[in-house]
C-alpha cells in the first residue's frame, strides 16, 4: 500500500514535469508562427475545413493526369481574356485586384502558355449537393505544379517572355457518379 | 628481237635480194677458177683462231686467187692485187654488174642449198665464242639465200635439156638401140663430151645477197664456174663490236668476220628411161671452208655476259578499290576524300610497278637495269604497304566518324535559347554566405547560358545542319554547356532550398504577404476598393511592425541573448501580441472582398466565378483557388501578373512590372510615410495622419490631427517616381 502511494506521487510529479516542459516549448513554438514556410501539400481525409454541407468521400480518387492537364490548359487559355474572371474561384483572395491589374498592367496581347506540368496531386475530395435541385457534385481540390510562360510584344523591347513555375490549386467540380 | 634467237625467227629472214647476171664473166672466171683450184691444202687451213685484220685472210685469199687463175698462172703480186680488189669490192662490183639471169636458177639454188648445209654443219660444231658467233651470223644469211628458190630435191636437179643440145638426141637414140658393150661406151662418151662442151659454153652465174641485222651488216657472194664445174662463196660481216649471243648461254663482242668455202658442180647423164634421157646436175657439199672472225674489241665496249637467273614472268601489282565515294554526312567527307586519295596513290604506284614488271620480263636475264627495276619495284611495293596501312587507319576513322557525326542525320536544326537566372538577395545576415554562393553559381550559369545563346543565335533560322562540321561542333558544344547549366541549376536549386531553410531559421519575414493598393483602372466600386486599400494598408503596417519586433528579438539573440531571458520573453511576447491583430484585419479584409464581389460584377468584369469547361462530354467546372509561385513569374499574382520574379515584387510605393515606376502620394507625401486611420470623429472615411517629409524632402506636419489629417483616401494620387526625388 505504501509502495502504491509512493508510485502515485511519482506519477503525478512526472505529469506535472511534463506539463511544465510542454508549456515552455509551446511558448517557443508560438514565437515562430510568422516564419516563412511552404508546407507540403497533402491530401486531407478528414472533414475539417470543408464548406458547409460537404461530405468527404470515403477514399480520394486521384483525377486522371491528362484530364487535369486539359482542364488547366483550358483555364490558362482564358488568362487575359474576357472570361478570365470565370476561372477564379470564390476563394481566390484578390480576384478584383487581379482583374484590375490585368486591365492596367498587362498588355492586351499578352498570352499565357502552358509549357509543362511537373506534378499533379489530388488534395481533397468531397460531395456537395448540386444547385437547382440537381444531383450531387463531387468537388476535387487538386494541386498542379506547372511551368508557364507569359508572352507579349513590348514596344521598344520587342518580344517579351516571362517564364515561371507555379503551384496552382484548382477546384474541380463535376457531377457525382 | 634478241640476236641470240634462232635466225629463222628473224623478221628479215625471208628477205632475199637476187642480183642480175653479169654480161662479162672474164674476171668472174678468173676469180672463180682460182678459188676452185686452190685445193684442199689451202682451204684446209681453216683456223679457229681469231685473227686481226686481213693478214691471214690475205694469204689464204692469195692462194685461192692463184688457184682461180684460169687464164694463166698469176704471180703472187697479181694474186695479192686481185685479193685487194676483191676485198675492196672492185671485183664484187664487177661481178655485180655482170650477173646473169633475172632469177636464181635451179642450179644456183642447188648450190645455195649446199652452202647453207655447210654453214649449218659448221655452226653446230664446238668452237670458241667468236667463231661460233661468226657462223651464227653466216647461218642467217645462208638460210635466207637457200630460200631464194624452192628446191626440187635435196641434192640433185634433173634438167630436161638433152633435146636442146645439138646432136645429143640422135646419139641418145642410138645409145638406147645399141647392145654392144664397147659401142655403148663409145656412144655414151660422145654424149658426155657433147654435154660437157655444151655446159662449158653456158654463162656462169653469180649470186649476191646483203642482209642488215640489228647488230651486223652481212654480205654473201656465190660464184658458179660452169666450165670448171665448181662454186665458191664468201660471207663477210661487220658488227662494230656489238654484243652477240653464242646461242649457248654466252656472248661476245664481234668486230667482223669472213667465211669462205666452195665445192664442185658436175653434170651427169641419166638414161635409165631411154625414152626420156636426162642431164643431172650434181652439186657437191662444201668441201673446204675457212672462217676468219675478229672479236678483238676495246675493253670498254665489252659488256658482262648475261648471267643465269632468267625471269620469264612478273607478278601484277595489287590494286585497291574505293569502298564508298560519298560520306553519309558532310562532316566525314574530308576523311573519305583522304581515303580516296590514298587509293588513287596506291593504284598509281601499281601502274608504275606494272611498267617495271614488263621491263623486268623483257630484260629477262640479270642486268644492272633489271636489278635497278627490281629494286624500284620493291621500293614501290613498300610504299604501297605504307599507303595501305595509312588507308586502313583513315578508313577506320572515317567509319567512326560516320557512326558518331552522322547519327543525327543531315537536317537543319535550331537550338533553343536558355534563360538567364536572376541573382538573389536576402535581408538575413546569417544567410548572406549562401546568397553569395548562389549568386556565384548564377553568374557561372548565366555566363554559360550566354554562350549557349550565342550558339543558338548561330542556328537561328536553321542556318546549321546536323552532319556538318560546324553543325556538329555547335551542337556538341551546346550539349556540353547544357549539361553544365543543368548541373549548375541543380546546385542553385539546392542552395535556394538551403537559403529558405536558413531564412526560416534565422530571419522572420512576412513582408512578402504585404498587399498593394488598388489602382484606378476600374472606377466602379471604388469606395469599397478604397476601404479595402485602407485595411490592407493597416495590415501592411502591422506586417512591418511585427517584422520589426521579430527583428529586434532576432538581433537580441544574435548579440548573445538567450531565449529564456526576460528581455527576450518580453520581445517575443510583444511581437506575438501584435501578431494577434492580424486575425481581425483578415476578417475586415474578407468582408470587404465579399462586399466588393457583391458590387455590380459587370462594372469591372467581376463575377462569382464558375468557369465551366467541358471535359469528355460532361460539364466540369474548373476554378483557380490559389497560386503559389515557385520560380519566376506568377501570372495570377494580383500585385503584378507580369512581374519577372513574383517573389521579389516590391510592395509599397508604386507598382509595375517588377520595377517601381509610380508612387501614391497625398499632399505630395508618399502615403507609405503616413498612417491610415479608419475612422475619426468628424472624418468618417479613411484618411491619413502623421508628420513626414514630402517628395521634395520638406518636413510636413499633420495639418489636421484631430480631423481628416492629410486627407481622405480618395484623395490619393499616383505620380511617377521621378517626381518624388526624396524617395
Amino acid at each position: 500500500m505504501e509502495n502504491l502511494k509512493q508510485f502515485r506521487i511519482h506519477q503525478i510529479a512526472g505529469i506535472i514535469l511534463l506539463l511544465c516542459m510542454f508549456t515552455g516549448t509551446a511558448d517557443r513554438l508560438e514565437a515562430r508562427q510568422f516564419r516563412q514556410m511552404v508546407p507540403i501539400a497533402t491530401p486531407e481525409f478528414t472533414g475539417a475545413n470543408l464548406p458547409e454541407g460537404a461530405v468527404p468521400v470515403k477514399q480520394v480518387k486521384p483525377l486522371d493526369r491528362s484530364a487535369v492537364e486539359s482542364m488547366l490548359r483550358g483555364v490558362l487559355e482564358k488568362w487575359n481574356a474576357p472570361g478570365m474572371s470565370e476561372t477564379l474561384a470564390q476563394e481566390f483572395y484578390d480576384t478584383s485586384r487581379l482583374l484590375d491589374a490585368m486591365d492596367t498592367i498587362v498588355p492586351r496581347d499578352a498570352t499565357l502558355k502552358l509549357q509543362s506540368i511537373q506534378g499533379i496531386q489530388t488534395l481533397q475530395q468531397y460531395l456537395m449537393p448540386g444547385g437547382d435541385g440537381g444531383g450531387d457534385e463531387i468537388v476535387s481540390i487538386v494541386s498542379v505544379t506547372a511551368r508557364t510562360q507569359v508572352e507579349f510584344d513590348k514596344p521598344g523591347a520587342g518580344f517579351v517572355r516571362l517564364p515561371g513555375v507555379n503551384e496552382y490549386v484548382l477546384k474541380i467540380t463535376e457531377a457525382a457518379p | 628481237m634478241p640476236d641470240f634467237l634462232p635466225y629463222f625467227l628473224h623478221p628479215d629472214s625471208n628477205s632475199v635480194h637476187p642480183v642480175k647476171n653479169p654480161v662479162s664473166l672474164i674476171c668472174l672466171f678468173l676469180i672463180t677458177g682460182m678459188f676452185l683450184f686452190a685445193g684442199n691444202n689451202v682451204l684446209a687451213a681453216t683456223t679457229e683462231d681469231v685473227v686481226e685484220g686481213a693478214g691471214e685472210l690475205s694469204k689464204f685469199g692469195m692462194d685461192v686467187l692463184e688457184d682461180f687463175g684460169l687464164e694463166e698462172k698469176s704471180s703472187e703480186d697479181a694474186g695479192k692485187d686481185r685479193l685487194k680488189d676483191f676485198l675492196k669490192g672492185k671485183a664484187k662490183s664487177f661481178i655485180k654488174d655482170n650477173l646473169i639471169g633475172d632469177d636464181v636458177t635451179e642450179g644456183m639454188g642447188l648450190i645455195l642449198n649446199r652452202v647453207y648445209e655447210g654453214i649449218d654443219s659448221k655452226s653446230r660444231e664446238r668452237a670458241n665464242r667468236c667463231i661460233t658467233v661468226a657462223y651464227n651470223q653466216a647461218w642467217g644469211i645462208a638460210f635466207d639465200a637457200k630460200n631464194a628458190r624452192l628446191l626440187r630435191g635435196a641434192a640433185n636437179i634433173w634438167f630436161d635439156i638433152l633435146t636442146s643440145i645439138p646432136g645429143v638426141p640422135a646419139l641418145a637414140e642410138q645409145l638406147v638401140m645399141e647392145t654392144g658393150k664397147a659401142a655403148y661406151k663409145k656412144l655414151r662418151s660422145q654424149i658426155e663430151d657433147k654435154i660437157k662442151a655444151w655446159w662449158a659454153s653456158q654463162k656462169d652465174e653469180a649470186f649476191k645477197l646483203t642482209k642488215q641485222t640489228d647488230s651486223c651488216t652481212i654480205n654473201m657472194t656465190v660464184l658458179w664456174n660452169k666450165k670448171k664445174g665448181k662454186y665458191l662463196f664468201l660471207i663477210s660481216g661487220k658488227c662494230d663490236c656489238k654484243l652477240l649471243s653464242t646461242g649457248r648461254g654466252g656472248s661476245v663482242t664481234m668486230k667482223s668476220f669472213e667465211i669462205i668455202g666452195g665445192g664442185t658442180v658436175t653434170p651427169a647423164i641419166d638414161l635409165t628411161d631411154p625414152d626420156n634421157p636426162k642431164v643431172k646436175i650434181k652439186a657437191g657439199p662444201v668441201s673446204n671452208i675457212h672462217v676468219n672472225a675478229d672479236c678483238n674489241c676495246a675493253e670498254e665496249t665489252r659488256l658482262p655476259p648475261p648471267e643465269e637467273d632468267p625471269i620469264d614472268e612478273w607478278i601484277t601489282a595489287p590494286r585497291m578499290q574505293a569502298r564508298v565515294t560519298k560520306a553519309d554526312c558532310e562532316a566525314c567527307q574530308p576523311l573519305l576524300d583522304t581515303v580516296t586519295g590514298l587509293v588513287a596513290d596506291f593504284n598509281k604506284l601499281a601502274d608504275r610497278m606494272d611498267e617495271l614488271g614488263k621491263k623486268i620480263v623483257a630484260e629477262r636475264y640479270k642486268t644492272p637495269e633489271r636489278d635497278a627495276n627490281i629494286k624500284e619495284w620493291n621500293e614501290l611495293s613498300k610504299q604501297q604497304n605504307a599507303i595501305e596501312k595509312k588507308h586502313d587507319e583513315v578508313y577506320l576513322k572515317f567509319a567512326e566518324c560516320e557512326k558518331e557525326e552522322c547519327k543525327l542525320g543531315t537536317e537543319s536544326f535550331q537550338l533553343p535559347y536558355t534563360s538567364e537566372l536572376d541573382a538573389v538577395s536576402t535581408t538575413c545576415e546569417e544567410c548572406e554566405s549562401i546568397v553569395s554562393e548562389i549568386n556565384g553559381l548564377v553568374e557561372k550559369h548565366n555566363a554559360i547560358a550566354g554562350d549557349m545563346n550565342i550558339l543558338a543565335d548561330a542556328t537561328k533560322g536553321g542556318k546549321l545542319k546536323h552532319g556538318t562540321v560546324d553543325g556538329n561542333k555547335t551542337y556538341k558544344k551546346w550539349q556540353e554547356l547544357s549539361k553544365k547549366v543543368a548541373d549548375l541549376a541543380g546546385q542553385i536549386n539546392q542552395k535556394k532550398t538551403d537559403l529558405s531553410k536558413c531564412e526560416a531559421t534565422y530571419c522572420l519575414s512576412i513582408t512578402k504577404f504585404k498587399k498593394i493598393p488598388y489602382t484606378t483602372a476600374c472606377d466602379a466600386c471604388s469606395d469599397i476598393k478604397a476601404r479595402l486599400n485602407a485595411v490592407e494598408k493597416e495590415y501592411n503596417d502591422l506586417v512591418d511592425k511585427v517584422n520589426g519586433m521579430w527583428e529586434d528579438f532576432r538581433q537580441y539573440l544574435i548579440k548573445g541573448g538567450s531565449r529564456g531571458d526576460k528581455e527576450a520573453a518580453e520581445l517575443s511576447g510583444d511581437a506575438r501580441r501584435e501578431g494577434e491583430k492580424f486575425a481581425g484585419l483578415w476578417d475586415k479584409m474578407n468582408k470587404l472582398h465579399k462586399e466588393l464581389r457583391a458590387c455590380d460584377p459587370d462594372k469591372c468584369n467581376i463575377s462569382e466565378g464558375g468557369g465551366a469547361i467541358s471535359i469528355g462530354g460532361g460539364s466540369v467546372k474548373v476554378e483557380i483557388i490559389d497560386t503559389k509561385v515557385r520560380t519566376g513569374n506568377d501570372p495570377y499574382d494580383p500585385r503584378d501578373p507580369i512581374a519577372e520574379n513574383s517573389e521579389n515584387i516590391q510592395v509599397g510605393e508604386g507598382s509595375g512590372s517588377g520595377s517601381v515606376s509610380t508612387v501614391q502620394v497625398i499632399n505630395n507625401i508618399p502615403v507609405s510615410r503616413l498612417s491610415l486611420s479608419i475612422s475619426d470623429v468628424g472624418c468618417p472615411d479613411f484618411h491619413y495622419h502623421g508628420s513626414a517629409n514630402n517628395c521634395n524632402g520638406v518636413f510636413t506636419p499633420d495639418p489636421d490631427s484631430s480631423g481628416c489629417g492629410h486627407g481622405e483616401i480618395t484623395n490619393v494620387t499616383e505620380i511617377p517616381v521621378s517626381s518624388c526625388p526624396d524617395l
Side-chain angles (χ1 to χ4, degrees), chain B residues 483-501:
Chain B
K483 286 178 185 173
K484 289 182 181 176
V485 160
D487 181 50
L488 285 168
Q491 293 181 43
I492 289 168
N493 285 339
Q494 181 60 43
K495 290 292 178 187
K496 281 185 174 177
T497 304
D498 294 344
L499 177 61
S500 296
K501 288 178 182 174

Side-chain angles (χ1 to χ4, degrees), chain A residues 30-31 35 79 85-87 89-90 93-94 96-97 100 104 161-167 169-171 173, chain B residues 419 504-505 516 518 521 529 536 550 576 593 596 608 610-611 621 623-626 628-631 633 635:
Chain A
E30 196 176 6
R35 288 183 184 277
W79 185 86
S85 60
E86 297 172 4
T87 64
Q90 250 186 328
Y93 176 72
D94 272 345
S96 55
R97 198 193 312 265
D100 268 359
T104 56
R161 58 191 190 90
L162 303 168
V165 177
N166 293 277
E167 180 188 357
V169 180
L170 302 178
K171 180 181 179 184
T173 307
Chain B
S419 301
T505 303
I516 59 172
Y518 273 91
K529 290 178 185 175
E536 288 180 346
W550 283 115
R576 191 173 61 251
H593 268 288
L596 187 61
E608 289 297 317
K621 190 163 67 176
E623 303 156 304
I624 297 175
I625 295 175
D626 192 14
K628 296 171 185 172
V629 66
R630 295 285 173 85
T631 58
N633 165 263

Side-chain angles (χ1 to χ4, degrees), chain B residues 76-95:
Chain B
E76 186 173 337
D77 292 336
K80 286 181 181 178
D81 292 340
R82 285 170 183 145
L83 178 61
K84 286 178 184 176
D85 289 343
F86 185 85
L87 295 175
K88 288 178 182 176
K90 289 181 180 178
K92 286 192 282 186
S93 298
F94 181 79
I95 292 168

Side-chain angles (χ1 to χ4, degrees), chain B residues 21 32 46 70 87 102 193 263 352 405 412 442 532-533 624 666:
Chain B
N21 295 329
T32 306
T46 301
L70 300 178
L87 295 175
D102 296 332
D193 288 342
R352 172 61 183 158
E405 303 291 338
S412 60
V442 166
L532 187 57
N533 278 344
I624 297 175
I666 187 168

Side-chain angles (χ1 to χ4, degrees), chain A residues 27 30-36 70-71 74-76 79 84-94 96-102 104-107 112 141 145 150 161-174, chain B residues 419 504-505 508 510 515-516 518-519 521-522 529 533 536 550 576 579 582 586 589-590 593 596-597 605-611 615 620-636 638 640-642 644:
Chain A
D27 182 58
E30 196 176 6
R32 299 166 71 92
Q33 63 181 312
F34 296 112
R35 288 183 184 277
Q36 179 183 345
S70 178
M71 293 174 194
V75 168
L76 298 186
W79 185 86
M84 181 178 175
S85 60
E86 297 172 4
T87 64
L88 302 173
Q90 250 186 328
E91 295 87 339
F92 193 89
Y93 176 72
D94 272 345
S96 55
R97 198 193 312 265
L98 172 63
L99 296 174
D100 268 359
M102 294 297 294
T104 56
I105 300 173
V106 180
L112 178 62
I141 307 300
T145 302
V150 174
R161 58 191 190 90
L162 303 168
V165 177
N166 293 277
E167 180 188 357
Y168 295 85
V169 180
L170 302 178
K171 180 181 179 184
I172 300 170
T173 307
E174 51 191 326
Chain B
S419 301
T505 303
L508 303 172
I510 55 174
K515 306 298 179 186
I516 59 172
Y518 273 91
T519 59
C522 178
K529 290 178 185 175
N533 278 344
E536 288 180 346
W550 283 115
R576 191 173 61 251
F582 279 107
W586 271 111
M589 288 192 291
N590 282 334
H593 268 288
L596 187 61
R597 282 196 294 271
N605 291 326
I606 297 172
S607 79
E608 289 297 317
I615 302 293
V620 179
K621 190 163 67 176
V622 185
E623 303 156 304
I624 297 175
I625 295 175
D626 192 14
T627 61
K628 296 171 185 172
V629 66
R630 295 285 173 85
T631 58
N633 165 263
D634 176 6
Y636 289 89
D640 186 355
I642 54 172
E644 284 186 27

